[in-house]
Amino acid sequence: MLKVVVTRRTEEAAGIVGLELRAADGERLPPFAPGAHIDVMLPNGLVRQYSLVNDCEERDRYEIAVSNVANGRGGSACVHSTLVVGTALEIGMPRNNFPLRSEHARFFFIAGGIGITPILSMIRYCNRHGLNWNLLYLARSRAHAAFLEELSEYGADRVRIHFDAEAGCNFDIGSCSGLIPAGVPIYCCGPAPLMQAVVDFSSRHPENPVFLEWFAPAPENADQPPAEGFEVVLKRSGKAFYVEEDRSILEVLESHGYNIPCSCREGMCRTCETGVVDGVPDHRDYVLSKAEREEGRTMMICVSRARNSTLVLDI
């Protein structure tokens, strides 16, 4: 854990606050790569993940931006109501589930609302290293678009901005075929409906692979098979527990006294990632790559299940 202090607070847009965090001891902070996030231990006891928005070369500070989510679970409300200049916090080391792939020389970014946060760090990295990029930025209105002034300075040939309030409708992702050159990967972050629309677009245009950072779970898939119970065996102790249809592996282990690191409990932060020794996981997370899923060596035990009757975990 790292001890930091809030050294600056700004209003980046309607309902979006920006925070600058510096090490409490004044030292340089650990390095991070574009797309990384940190766990923030909030004063109300909650742990939340926030993307780092600043240039990854800036080791003197971390910058995050947080949207005040209506009817949320208390994290964003706590940030907006209690974090002020001088507030001391503990944060986790930077982690990255949404990295820029080194094999890509050109990028097409799609950001919806507060989804601009990991994308902005990527844009700043691309500019520093002379990489080619374009951005489609979608927001409810100008008032709700964070970092709009900076992004607008890149020009219309680099940045296309769509405001639902001005257009009178949501942006049609299906129309992106004229915007995204063949072979250019899509990096997307935003609300779940936008993310699903981008996934659907990529499935119709496989020459444009998609890489995602989910802030919220996708809508339930009606085609997903119903959950079934299974047995989980812990390799190190040999103990076995039954995981009922309506409980997660994490919940079952916690009920038997196991203290498993976890945070989001929705398969989006990778905190509870656990090694799989034997069995076939039924992956229901949002962070593992296709290759990692196919390998089946790890799983997120907060949401993922088993495709067979017994799963052996490296616990």
Side-chain angles (χ1 to χ4, degrees):
M1 303 304 297
L2 306 171
K3 296 183 182 298
V4 298
V5 176
V6 177
T7 52
R8 184 165 58 92
R9 174 175 168 138
T10 56
E11 299 299 323
E12 297 295 344
I16 299 177
V17 64
L19 298 173
E20 177 186 87
L21 309 175
R22 294 181 182 260
D25 60 7
E27 296 295 320
R28 281 160 58 88
L29 290 163
F32 69 95
H37 69 273
I38 53 173
D39 293 337
V40 179
M41 319 305 147
L42 296 173
N44 63 358
L46 295 176
V47 180
R48 291 293 182 263
Q49 294 75 41
Y50 298 115
S51 296
L52 296 172
V53 305
N54 52 312
D55 187 329
C56 61
E57 297 292 328
E58 298 168 341
R59 297 277 304 282
D60 60 328
R61 65 189 183 277
Y62 291 154
E63 294 177 4
I64 61 175
V66 181
S67 176
N68 196 358
V69 180
N71 301 316
R73 296 175 298 165
S76 63
C78 179
V79 169
H80 279 251
S81 63
T82 65
L83 300 192
V84 296
V85 173
T87 301
L89 295 169
E90 285 192 337
I91 64 172
M93 295 283 286
R95 292 185 289 140
N96 202 339
N97 301 328
F98 189 42
L100 284 176
R101 310 284 170 154
S102 59
E103 66 268 25
H104 299 154
R106 185 175 181 181
F107 306 89
F108 194 95
F109 301 121
I110 300 178
I114 196 61
I116 190 61
T117 49
I119 299 296
L120 184 57
S121 181
M122 292 178 170
I123 288 173
R124 289 168 167 167
Y125 176 88
C126 288
N127 277 340
R128 178 181 289 274
H129 293 276
L131 299 174
N132 198 346
W133 62 272
N134 290 90
L135 168 68
L136 173 62
Y137 186 19
L138 313 176
R140 283 184 287 165
S141 68
R142 291 181 184 273
H144 292 90
F147 310 106
L148 182 58
E149 182 176 351
E150 175 183 347
L151 293 169
S152 298
E153 291 176 354
Y154 291 118
D157 59 330
R158 275 284 179 88
V159 177
R160 176 169 177 172
I161 304 175
H162 173 95
F163 301 115
D164 297 343
E166 296 180 15
C169 61
N170 294 337
F171 186 85
D172 178 15
I173 295 298
S175 67
C176 280
S177 55
L179 294 176
I180 310 174
V184 175
I186 304 169
Y187 288 72
C188 179
C189 183
L194 168 64
M195 305 279 277
Q196 190 58 56
V198 172
V199 170
D200 294 342
F201 175 87
S202 181
S203 68
R204 296 191 301 272
H205 300 272
E207 70 276 13
N208 297 114
V210 63
F211 303 89
L212 306 169
E213 173 85 321
W214 295 86
F215 279 169
E220 279 202 30
N221 184 357
D223 296 329
Q224 182 169 275
E228 295 183 358
F230 58 94
E231 184 179 61
V232 62
V233 177
L234 310 187
K235 177 187 176 183
R236 301 175 197 176
S237 65
K239 292 183 178 180
F241 305 103
Y242 187 73
V243 180
E244 297 88 349
E245 294 86 343
D246 59 347
R247 302 182 75 195
S248 68
I249 299 173
L250 176 63
E251 290 171 335
V252 169
L253 294 183
E254 287 179 330
S255 70
H256 286 88
Y258 288 85
N259 184 19
I260 308 294
C262 64
S263 181
C264 74
R265 295 178 180 267
E266 294 180 324
M268 296 186 294
C269 72
R270 211 160 184 154
T271 304
C272 70
E273 184 171 9
T274 301
V276 177
V277 178
D278 192 26
V280 182
D282 176 10
H283 296 292
R284 302 190 179 193
D285 65 273
Y286 301 89
V287 292
L288 288 177
S289 67
K290 181 180 179 180
E292 289 172 322
R293 286 170 178 252
E294 291 174 350
E295 289 176 357
R297 297 174 61 183
T298 67
M299 65 185 297
M300 307 306 136
I301 61 173
C302 64
V303 292
S304 296
R305 305 185 67 79
R307 292 190 179 276
N308 48 359
S309 60
T310 302
L311 200 61
V312 182
L313 299 180
D314 188 16
I315 298 178

